[in-house]
Amino acid sequence: MDSNRTLAAPRRICGDFDCSGEDIERDWVKRTGCWSSMTRVLLTREQVRAYGLPATEGKRDDPRWSAFARRYGFDIEHPVQWEVEALEPDELQRLVLAAVDPYIDRDVLARQVAREEEQRRALAGFLGGWRADSSGGPA
């Protein structure tokens, strides 16, 4: 694998919209030391509003809550969060695929899909050769 290409590739992140989820980008950049930024694909404040996602009770003991609450104008006394799983599965898939689509090498993908299909055929042929007797061994 060409590590220079990997490190230069855009980093996308999906996560909950809460104080912990939002901090993942900062933490990742700090811990890895090899990327200068991350781009949140979801869940964002705008998506929470656009999809009308329901809030759930947030983590009262998270030390990042008060800064998060001030940044977004939430009541500091009532922690809230929004889970990425609140999105409809089809919409979640659509958003993720749209975010990564520009970075997919179609030739590499086509070769991998063909390779996996060959492996499926080989496995099916192998399994077809097994007897249904008690020994469980090949025919």
Side-chain angles (χ1 to χ4, degrees), residues 3-11 35:
S3 63
N4 290 327
R5 179 175 175 205
T6 302
L7 295 177
R11 296 292 166 219
W35 293 287

Side-chain angles (χ1 to χ4, degrees), residues 8-104:
R11 296 292 166 219
R12 303 292 185 249
I13 189 166
C14 298
D16 299 334
F17 180 66
D18 62 9
C19 54
S20 298
E22 185 178 70
D23 193 49
I24 290 172
E25 291 108 286
R26 180 208 55 82
D27 188 60
W28 180 262
V29 169
K30 179 182 174 189
R31 286 179 190 243
T32 62
C34 51
W35 293 287
S36 60
S37 67
M38 304 283 293
T39 300
R40 180 169 281 269
V41 172
L42 49 95
L43 206 54
T44 65
R45 174 75 167 151
E46 295 76 24
Q47 291 166 330
V48 164
R49 288 179 175 162
Y51 291 100
L53 299 177
T56 60
E57 185 175 348
K59 303 168 193 109
R60 290 193 174 281
D61 59 347
D62 193 318
R64 297 166 286 205
W65 166 250
S66 59
F68 181 81
R70 282 192 297 277
R71 190 166 34 259
Y72 292 103
F74 299 136
D75 181 351
I76 291 177
E77 298 301 317
H78 297 94
V80 291
Q81 62 187 32
W82 289 264
E83 305 292 329
V84 72
E85 296 88 357
L87 285 167
E88 291 293 327
D90 288 344
E91 186 62 5
L92 176 60
Q93 179 180 16
R94 187 192 70 75
L95 291 168
V96 170
L97 291 176
V100 300
D101 186 68
Y103 308 102
I104 295 173

Side-chain angles (χ1 to χ4, degrees), residues 121-133 135-139:
R121 284 193 300 270
L123 182 58
F126 176 76
L127 292 174
W130 284 72
R131 288 191 307 239
D133 68 6
S135 70

